[in-house]
Amino acid sequence: MTLRLALLASALAFATLPAHAAEPQKSKYRSAQEILEASPAQDWRRLDPANTLYLELESGRVIIELAPAFAPEHVGNIRTLAHEGFWNGLSIYRSQDNWVVQFGDPTEEESQRKSMGSAKPKLPAEFERKADDLKFDVLPDSDGWAPQVGFVDGFPAARDPKTGQAWMAHCYATLGAGRDTAADSSNATELYVVIGQSPRQLDRNITVVGRVVKGMELLSVLKRGPEPMGMYADKADYTPIRAIRLASDVPEAERTPLELLRTDSRSFTDATEARRNRRDPWYVRPAGHIDVCNVPLPVRSPKK
Amino acid sequence: MTLRLALLASALAFATLPAHAAEPQKSKYRSAQEILEASPAQDWRRLDPANTLYLELESGRVIIELAPAFAPEHVGNIRTLAHEGFWNGLSIYRSQDNWVVQFGDPTEEESQRKSMGSAKPKLPAEFERKADDLKFDVLPDSDGWAPQVGFVDGFPAARDPKTGQAWMAHCYATLGAGRDTAADSSNATELYVVIGQSPRQLDRNITVVGRVVKGMELLSVLKRGPEPMGMYADKADYTPIRAIRLASDVPEAERTPLELLRTDSRSFTDATEARRNRRDPWYVRPAGHIDVCNVPLPVRSPKK
């Protein structure tokens, strides 16, 4: 009964399936894992170091891909802030269950906050953008929050054909820029990462700047702060940030090379379909549907 | 700029809203928090001790409501197992990021596993049930995974008018019974709790037995085990279970009294609408939609 330990194979992991004598009618089904294992090299892309952040914690490295196509001004500031070491020595000061972790400088008094150096003190809201010059890999599945969902350059996204606008979707691992009540009050110093159920109600209400592609398990386990907001009352609960650096500022030998499955690849489409309509032995009833935030975005170390 | 700390007020918490001079056209809007604060006593229900599990960890108490209406056989076994102390001294042995934590007895060799006492060794799959004699509080919002979604006795649920069947939805905090490949291979000793994005593809593929109503933050922070399944390789990573007890087996003075908002109450309907179409000052664009797994299910301590 060793299968006992195989129960609940993850939608997010390349779980090993139990060996099974394939039934004739299922002989053509390939699991997402099998599709990925057989995927050609060109279906994968390398992370661009100029577009990659390393959030260095005592527990390890969290790797973030930035989204300049959606938030050019915020990403510009983030690059400057990282290059100048703004976050080094600051902390993760918020962890709210089923919501977000947040980091930066929590000092309330503006005059006492860490200097933003040569970053811009004021940025526009970048909640959505024109869709017509974006390559949008449409997911055929319905979505309650937006007319259409899919992926742009590997990021979960949505668009509205009527308005011609596109925006990034808030899913697990989404990185956004905290703001006050004014829509244009984010300056990209205070960043949050989604650690729970996709809070899609935030879509088009706040600027999304990227996505954690590796290391979520270092953020998602942080002790929760007190309700309702999860801001730690005790600074001893802060998680220190050793550094946030652009990968391009890191010596090549210290970088973490990663490949991401292209969301416009056949392998991605096929793996998503294999998850939408599972025919592996464990599943009794294929869902016939997948939510944009349930689609795994595979990451791997490059083959040597 | 103290609002800086109010950014990203949680959909799940009774967050304090900043004081604002109400604009005339918004004067009738009440936030979910305001609705809950003004809710009449009869809109709340007490947890039934015979239907409540206390999962006692070193870090505190996790409180679970069982769902006998959907999984009577599994809940029967759980009551027996808890009453006889089956889980006492066992562990949480699995923590997989954005997926589940799981507890019970991970021993692979069946003959060496802890005795189930007088619990039934074999249970039927309880994936769905007849809907026609269930009070179903329908959510008007569309859902990609099921024809209809809503709540039954406070549990997120779905139903299909064509088949006349209803089932529980996998959301954050859902408690289910792990199984092997055979649909009827769960015996309710190995239980999992969802700690990430709602894995709705599991709906009707596994038996859901209840929901964590308080204490998720004690489970969601557990160090993740190694990929792909999150089963800890090192037993030192196990989280010991002091006890799992039925609240009705616990002396009354040691119980945690809780009230849950009735999902068939006006306050619940109104609070959900206030979240579907937010008009508090922070939100620029109301979503016009809410997902069944994004609807908060409020819990409070009874007023003294």
Side-chain angles (χ1 to χ4, degrees):
Chain A
M1 211 153 137
T2 56
L3 285 177
R4 183 183 183 82
L5 294 181
L7 47 86
L8 266 179
S10 167
L12 292 179
F14 302 1
T16 305
L17 289 173
H20 253 256
E23 296 166 36
Q25 74 273 25
K26 294 185 179 177
S27 60
K28 284 180 186 165
Y29 179 71
R30 292 189 304 155
S31 69
Q33 181 195 7
E34 289 167 321
I35 291 163
L36 295 177
E37 283 171 356
S39 61
Q42 70 265 24
D43 284 1
W44 297 80
R45 63 187 173 92
R46 287 277 182 119
L47 274 185
D48 173 4
N51 218 16
T52 303
L53 281 187
Y54 292 155
L55 162 55
E56 312 279 11
L57 304 175
E58 282 164 28
S59 56
R61 175 177 283 178
V62 177
I63 303 178
I64 291 162
E65 184 171 27
L66 298 170
F70 284 92
E73 294 278 348
H74 280 74
V75 169
N77 248 24
I78 288 170
R79 286 199 182 108
T80 302
L81 292 163
H83 185 68
E84 297 178 359
F86 173 80
W87 288 286
N88 306 356
L90 291 176
S91 304
I92 302 175
Y93 54 78
R94 178 185 187 190
S95 171
Q96 182 178 342
D97 199 54
N98 196 17
W99 194 243
V100 299
V101 295
Q102 187 170 317
F103 52 92
D105 182 356
T107 308
E108 291 208 23
E109 184 52 56
E110 199 163 355
S111 65
Q112 291 172 24
R113 260 182 248 144
K114 191 164 177 177
S115 164
M116 291 178 63
S118 51
K120 293 179 184 170
K122 185 84 183 161
L123 298 175
E126 298 178 292
F127 297 170
E128 51 187 338
R129 55 155 288 164
K130 265 174 46 187
D132 57 9
D133 52 347
L134 277 183
K135 193 172 165 309
F136 195 96
D137 308 320
V138 180
L139 203 62
D141 306 80
S142 69
D143 184 79
W145 306 91
Q148 270 190 345
V149 286
F151 303 89
V152 173
D153 297 335
F155 292 103
R159 71 177 176 185
D160 184 346
K162 281 189 192 159
T163 64
Q165 294 292 103
W167 59 93
M168 289 178 79
H170 275 82
C171 296
Y172 190 83
T174 289
L175 178 77
R179 68 164 171 90
D180 287 341
T181 304
D184 62 353
S185 56
S186 54
N187 63 16
T189 63
E190 312 310 300
L191 300 176
Y192 64 88
V193 176
V194 173
I195 59 165
Q197 168 70 8
S198 48
R200 297 282 305 281
Q201 67 272 24
L202 295 176
D203 291 5
R204 290 188 284 178
N205 277 295
I206 196 160
T207 299
V208 175
V209 298
R211 189 174 75 80
V212 173
V213 297
K214 192 176 171 63
M216 272 304 297
E217 72 282 2
L218 306 180
L219 299 176
S220 58
V221 298
L222 296 177
K223 176 186 169 182
R224 306 311 189 220
E227 295 182 350
M229 303 285 295
M231 305 285 183
Y232 296 119
D234 184 347
K235 289 193 176 181
D237 288 330
Y238 283 14
T239 297
I241 294 173
R242 287 187 174 169
I244 295 185
R245 299 181 291 175
L246 274 171
S248 52
D249 285 339
V250 172
E252 208 161 331
E254 295 170 31
R255 294 183 196 164
T256 306
L258 284 182
E259 290 179 347
L260 283 81
L261 189 65
R262 292 182 189 276
T263 50
D264 60 355
S265 70
R266 175 67 184 268
S267 299
F268 181 77
T269 303
D270 289 351
T272 302
E273 171 57 22
R275 295 182 186 283
R276 182 186 291 116
N277 285 299
R278 287 163 193 270
R279 287 193 277 135
D280 47 89
W282 191 87
Y283 277 85
V284 173
R285 182 188 292 270
H289 174 80
I290 196 162
D291 185 279
V292 65
C293 289
N294 286 82
V295 176
L297 299 168
V299 178
R300 70 180 186 188
S301 299
K303 287 171 185 162
K304 304 285 178 187
Chain B
M1 212 154 132
T2 56
L3 285 177
R4 181 184 185 81
L5 295 181
L7 47 85
L8 266 179
S10 166
L12 291 180
F14 303 2
T16 305
L17 290 173
H20 253 257
E23 296 168 36
Q25 73 274 24
K26 294 185 179 176
S27 59
K28 284 180 188 164
Y29 178 71
R30 293 189 304 155
S31 69
Q33 181 195 7
E34 288 167 321
I35 291 163
L36 295 177
E37 282 172 356
S39 62
Q42 69 266 24
D43 285 1
W44 298 78
R45 63 186 172 93
R46 288 276 181 120
L47 274 185
D48 174 3
N51 218 16
T52 303
L53 281 187
Y54 292 156
L55 162 56
E56 312 281 8
L57 304 174
E58 282 164 28
S59 57
R61 176 177 283 178
V62 178
I63 303 177
I64 291 162
E65 183 172 26
L66 297 170
F70 285 93
E73 295 278 348
H74 281 74
V75 169
N77 247 24
I78 289 170
R79 285 198 182 111
T80 302
L81 292 163
H83 185 66
E84 298 179 358
F86 172 79
W87 288 286
N88 305 357
L90 292 176
S91 304
I92 301 174
Y93 54 78
R94 178 185 187 188
S95 172
Q96 183 178 343
D97 199 54
N98 195 18
W99 192 244
V100 298
V101 295
Q102 187 171 318
F103 52 92
D105 182 356
T107 307
E108 291 207 22
E109 183 52 56
E110 200 163 353
S111 64
Q112 291 172 25
R113 260 182 247 144
K114 190 165 177 176
S115 163
M116 290 177 65
S118 53
K120 294 179 185 170
K122 184 85 183 160
L123 299 176
E126 298 180 291
F127 297 172
E128 51 187 337
R129 56 155 287 163
K130 266 175 45 189
D132 57 9
D133 52 345
L134 276 184
K135 194 173 166 307
F136 196 97
D137 308 319
V138 179
L139 203 63
D141 306 80
S142 68
D143 184 80
W145 305 91
Q148 270 189 346
V149 286
F151 302 90
V152 174
D153 297 335
F155 292 103
R159 71 176 177 184
D160 185 345
K162 282 189 194 157
T163 64
Q165 295 291 103
W167 58 94
M168 291 178 77
H170 275 82
C171 296
Y172 189 83
T174 289
L175 178 76
R179 67 164 172 90
D180 288 340
T181 304
D184 62 352
S185 57
S186 53
N187 62 15
T189 63
E190 311 309 301
L191 301 176
Y192 63 88
V193 176
V194 173
I195 58 166
Q197 167 71 8
S198 48
R200 297 282 307 279
Q201 68 272 23
L202 295 177
D203 290 5
R204 289 188 284 177
N205 278 294
I206 196 161
T207 299
V208 174
V209 297
R211 188 173 76 80
V212 173
V213 296
K214 191 175 172 62
M216 272 304 297
E217 72 282 3
L218 305 180
L219 299 176
S220 58
V221 298
L222 296 177
K223 176 185 169 183
R224 306 312 189 217
E227 295 181 352
M229 303 285 295
M231 305 285 182
Y232 296 120
D234 184 348
K235 289 192 177 182
D237 288 330
Y238 283 14
T239 298
I241 294 174
R242 287 187 175 172
I244 295 185
R245 299 181 291 173
L246 274 171
S248 51
D249 285 339
V250 172
E252 207 161 333
E254 294 170 31
R255 295 182 196 164
T256 306
L258 284 182
E259 290 179 347
L260 284 81
L261 189 65
R262 292 181 189 275
T263 50
D264 60 356
S265 70
R266 177 65 185 270
S267 299
F268 181 78
T269 303
D270 289 351
T272 303
E273 171 56 22
R275 294 183 187 282
R276 183 186 290 115
N277 286 299
R278 288 163 192 269
R279 287 192 278 134
D280 47 89
W282 192 87
Y283 277 83
V284 174
R285 181 188 293 269
H289 175 81
I290 196 162
D291 185 280
V292 65
C293 290
N294 287 81
V295 175
L297 298 168
V299 178
R300 69 180 187 188
S301 298
K303 287 170 185 164
K304 304 286 178 189

